[in-house]
Amino acid sequence: MSIHDLTATELIRRLESGDLSSVEVVQAFLKRIEQGDGRVRAFVRVEANRALSAAERIDQRRRGGESVGRLGGLPVAVKDVICTEGQATTCASKMLQRFTPPYDATVIRRLKQADAILIGKTNMDEFAMGGTTESSALATTCNPWDLARVPGGSSGGAAACLAAGMVPLSIGSDTGGSIRQPASFCGVNGLKPTYGRVSRFGLIAFASSLDQIGPLARNAEDLALLLEVLAGHDPSDSTSANVPVPEYSRLVSQPLDGLTLGVVREHFGEGLDSQVQEAVREALRVYESLGATVKDISLPHSRYAIATYYIIACCEASSNLARYDGVHYGYRTDETAMLADLAAEQRALTSRGDSPLLDDLDSPLVRMYRQTRSEGFGAEVKRRIMLGTYALSHGYYDAYYVKALKVRRLIRNDFDAAFREVDLIAGPVAPTPAYRLGEKTEDPLAMYLGDLYTVSANLAGICALSVPCGLNGQGMPIGLQLQGPLLDEQRLLRAARMYQTVTDWHTRRPEGF
Amino acid sequence: MSLTRQQIVKVSLLARLRLQDDELDRMTHQLDQVVSYMDLLAEVDTEDAEPMAHAVEQTNVFAEDHVLPSLDRESALSNAPKRDEQCYRVPAVLGD
């Protein structure tokens, strides 16, 4: 088996035994990136030299008998929405193309403390808004299973580089499915932790009450290992949960006795692709063969999840993205040209004697904000800012924003009731496997409706993961979603691992990689 | 309810965006579709539901009252598109 075929857990075992050096491992993955990323374009930046010298230092420390961290010498890819000190962090936006954070996100500090090697930053939808990675201002990422198809999003690069064997571990962020959906489209594993389980400090905000950082990996064991490094209380994030972190990597191999899985009636309705449905049903039969009970349940408000989610997420986004004003950091419009245009408009209106329009003319500062933001943001980001601003504006606030917050409560109540009856909820991740590039770019509502099964977990704050559970007739991966109660990641991981001891979908690799 | 182009113009000012004519047309059409879909929520009985602003509700998270170092001026200014030695620079705020 080549280095890039090994799981993170196995690579660490070999690094620790001295069987492999970190330099060998990093070189092997850098070679994979060199050979494959011209086709996939999962990375927006690869830090080859930095990674190799970090690997050399880890090897030296190991040879000198020093102890090294949990991920000692193992390469990890990081989604470009997470701040890395001294290294560009762009959110795949023109707005932040020249932004270099002056500090590390807490998860980056944790990865460094664990002696992980940060090998590069991965592509994403601009500001994590989208489900295909097509809204990136930097590159179009392709699905390694079929280069004409999307990798999913917004953590499309994070999932694609893992699927193509360019890294053993990857970090993404999930606001409404942005880890789970690309994981399912690319045939890898991805976990959205409970809100608060992982610090958001240094994660560039999209929707602060929904955003959560999480791991992507080759199997449940590797997810457990990476989550254990990322999770934990952080005083810099006042929403982070001040509770102990279980030893996921030890617990993951313990099967669950008497597991009861809930299957949501409403999730098997209209719009669900028949092959996805069949693969998920088959996964449920596998669980039954392992002694689990499958129980039919209802989440009565699930049909309102998309509307609720897009109102709340866009309202929070319009507020969070107000900081991009062309003053503190990021892009600013060409000021000379902007002021000349404004002066010309003023002269034209004055000579026409149009004083009402003259009164409405932007001040130079407001014009600078507006021009900067209009040039710096792409279409999808502008749409969401507009939607959020509209829903928060005078006269609509109660009808949209407050109403959505109330429905959010009802969605959460549905989950609380369901978890009194079942241990975990199982179902599809997305209604279809990966579709073709360009297929949905002109129809935002159709794209939003694809998030039907994933957004509820973010609204309710619960944890959820995606594991590969099949391939459709065209050879595209299908994902199984498991959702669990607040802070119960260990149960999710154990259930996923049980499934992977008797199935091999997670070991399938795309042809040509 | 239908969104008008005039409303979109107004919201674009609130959002500090400046949209070209073709963008305004597209935005009016697309947002109208999305907002119509969101009107679905009107049918939900939320009479007794308390608004839920955060997924895991925490109240009064206090920090110890210690003075800690904060970002130094040079780091804070390092990404500014326009600056001088001490400040961010912006176009004139007051009229002439």
Side-chain angles (χ1 to χ4, degrees):
Chain A
M1 238 185 184
S2 328
I3 288 177
H4 68 265
D5 288 323
L6 300 172
T7 65
T9 308
E10 177 61 19
L11 282 167
I12 286 177
R13 208 182 55 73
R14 297 197 188 187
L15 283 163
E16 280 171 354
S17 72
D19 211 17
L20 281 175
S21 73
S22 177
V23 169
E24 284 175 293
V25 172
V26 170
Q27 272 170 344
F29 283 106
L30 284 173
K31 193 164 166 221
R32 293 286 299 175
I33 295 172
E34 201 186 299
Q35 289 168 343
D37 207 36
R39 286 172 287 160
V40 179
R41 292 188 293 279
F43 283 91
V44 294
R45 237 161 300 103
V46 178
E47 300 279 356
N49 295 335
R50 215 188 272 245
L52 278 171
S53 40
E56 271 165 32
R57 284 195 299 275
I58 301 284
D59 284 339
Q60 270 167 17
R61 281 169 52 196
R62 268 216 176 89
R63 277 196 301 272
E66 253 182 80
S67 73
V68 299
R70 289 296 303 278
L71 301 178
L74 199 67
V76 178
V78 176
K79 185 179 179 180
D80 211 23
V81 66
I82 296 172
C83 286
T84 42
E85 184 178 347
Q87 285 174 275
T89 300
T90 66
C91 268
S93 179
K94 184 178 174 188
M95 187 60 90
L96 288 178
Q97 216 159 357
R98 277 186 292 273
F99 175 63
T100 306
Y103 58 86
D104 273 333
T106 298
V107 293
I108 298 295
R109 276 211 329 266
R110 286 179 165 274
L111 287 171
K112 286 179 176 173
Q113 274 160 13
D115 289 317
I117 310 282
L118 305 178
I119 198 164
K121 303 290 285 283
T122 55
N123 199 19
M124 54 186 277
D125 280 297
E126 183 180 9
F127 282 101
M129 297 177 185
T132 63
T133 310
E134 289 166 295
S135 80
S136 166
L138 305 181
T140 300
T141 301
C142 303
N143 192 313
W145 293 82
D146 176 352
L147 297 171
R149 290 176 190 270
V150 300
S154 67
S155 310
C161 68
L162 198 55
M166 299 175 191
V167 284
L169 294 173
S170 189
I171 311 279
S173 67
D174 189 314
T175 305
S178 280
I179 288 175
R180 291 160 285 160
Q181 183 256 29
S184 91
F185 279 16
C186 291
V188 298
N189 303 260
L191 186 151
K192 182 204 93 69
T194 306
Y195 184 81
R197 181 56 102 182
V198 176
S199 167
R200 291 182 298 109
F201 182 74
L203 169 68
I204 295 177
F206 158 17
S208 307
S209 83
L210 305 163
D211 295 341
Q212 188 62 196
I213 295 173
L216 293 99
R218 298 278 179 74
N219 62 20
E221 255 186 312
D222 287 0
L223 280 182
L225 173 72
L226 187 51
L227 180 64
E228 200 170 305
V229 170
L230 300 177
H233 179 243
D234 176 15
S236 302
D237 173 5
S238 59
T239 62
S240 99
N242 197 355
V243 293
V245 176
E247 281 181 77
Y248 301 118
S249 58
R250 187 178 56 79
L251 290 166
V252 65
S253 53
Q254 298 175 9
L256 293 154
D257 282 333
L259 175 68
T260 307
L261 290 178
V263 174
V264 183
R265 222 169 292 149
E266 293 84 358
H267 284 181
F268 289 84
E270 205 189 324
L272 179 61
D273 176 279
S274 61
Q275 294 183 58
V276 173
Q277 166 149 211
E278 191 35 52
V280 170
R281 297 267 182 216
E282 178 55 33
L284 293 170
R285 285 191 283 274
V286 170
Y287 273 107
E288 284 178 316
S289 75
L290 291 166
T293 311
V294 173
K295 197 170 167 181
D296 185 51
I297 59 164
S298 172
L299 296 173
H301 295 92
S302 53
R303 65 179 297 235
Y304 305 110
I306 290 289
T308 305
Y309 171 80
Y310 275 94
I311 292 172
I312 294 173
C314 292
C315 286
E316 293 188 21
S318 77
S319 165
N320 272 324
L321 273 65
R323 74 190 65 184
Y324 303 105
D325 56 2
V327 175
H328 300 93
Y329 41 78
Y331 176 81
R332 181 190 287 196
T333 187
D334 178 338
E335 216 172 300
T336 316
M338 181 273 292
L339 289 171
D341 283 351
L342 192 59
E345 282 172 48
Q346 192 167 20
R347 276 196 305 277
L349 290 171
T350 312
S351 70
R352 266 172 35 201
D354 196 338
S355 55
L357 272 182
L358 204 52
D359 289 344
D360 284 349
L361 197 64
D362 292 334
S363 71
L365 184 62
V366 168
R367 176 59 63 90
M368 190 279 281
Y369 294 151
R370 298 181 77 183
Q371 194 70 29
T372 293
R373 290 163 61 78
S374 297
E375 291 167 4
F377 291 137
E380 181 60 22
V381 174
K382 286 186 206 174
R383 250 191 312 268
R384 296 199 192 192
I385 291 175
M386 289 287 293
L387 206 52
T389 307
Y390 171 73
L392 288 172
S393 66
H394 183 70
Y396 300 100
Y397 180 84
D398 286 325
Y400 291 109
Y401 183 62
V402 176
K403 182 75 179 183
L405 293 183
K406 289 179 176 174
V407 182
R408 182 181 192 179
R409 171 79 58 193
L410 299 176
I411 289 170
R412 167 63 175 275
N413 291 349
D414 286 354
F415 277 108
D416 289 347
F419 287 127
R420 283 194 284 275
E421 283 185 60
V422 299
D423 298 316
L424 299 172
I425 295 171
V429 178
T432 66
Y435 37 89
R436 293 185 177 280
L437 288 157
E439 203 174 302
K440 293 196 184 175
T441 39
E442 279 312 304
D443 190 352
L445 185 58
M447 181 110 69
Y448 298 168
L449 293 174
D451 301 338
L452 177 65
Y453 308 122
T454 47
V455 294
S456 299
N458 302 75
L459 288 168
I462 62 171
C463 53
L465 60 70
S466 169
V467 292
C469 73
L471 295 172
N472 76 352
Q474 291 154 309
M476 295 307 291
I478 297 168
L480 170 75
Q481 180 173 223
L482 297 175
Q483 302 183 83
L486 290 173
L487 297 169
D488 212 359
E489 287 83 359
Q490 59 94 15
R491 193 151 28 167
L492 278 183
L493 291 163
R494 289 166 68 188
R497 160 83 182 162
M498 272 170 79
Y499 177 73
Q500 293 182 337
T501 54
V502 293
T503 57
D504 66 358
W505 297 112
H506 61 290
T507 64
R508 307 293 180 92
R509 296 288 173 262
E511 231 173 275
F513 288 96
Chain B
M1 193 195 60
S2 189
L3 271 179
T4 63
R5 192 183 152 102
Q6 205 41 46
Q7 281 175 297
I8 296 295
V9 170
K10 186 185 156 203
V11 172
S12 73
L13 173 62
L14 295 174
R16 292 292 183 262
L17 289 169
R18 196 162 172 253
L19 304 176
Q20 305 301 321
D21 277 344
D22 59 328
E23 265 184 304
L24 279 171
D25 292 336
R26 210 165 41 239
M27 195 74 88
T28 306
H29 170 69
Q30 289 174 334
L31 291 196
D32 186 52
Q33 266 191 332
V34 176
V35 169
S36 305
Y37 176 76
M38 286 168 172
D39 286 335
L40 179 68
L41 294 191
E43 71 182 53
V44 190
D45 177 4
T46 51
E47 192 62 30
D48 300 319
E50 182 72 16
M52 180 176 160
H54 250 266
V56 179
E57 282 149 309
Q58 302 202 35
T59 44
N60 297 343
V61 179
F62 294 117
E64 289 295 315
D65 189 12
H66 289 318
V67 177
L68 294 169
S70 54
L71 207 59
D72 62 273
R73 188 198 297 260
E74 192 45 45
S75 304
L77 285 169
S78 63
N79 281 288
K82 197 172 177 187
R83 56 170 287 191
D84 58 23
E85 288 307 301
Q86 300 180 39
C87 296
Y88 298 107
R89 298 299 303 263
V90 295
V93 176
L94 299 173
D96 37 30

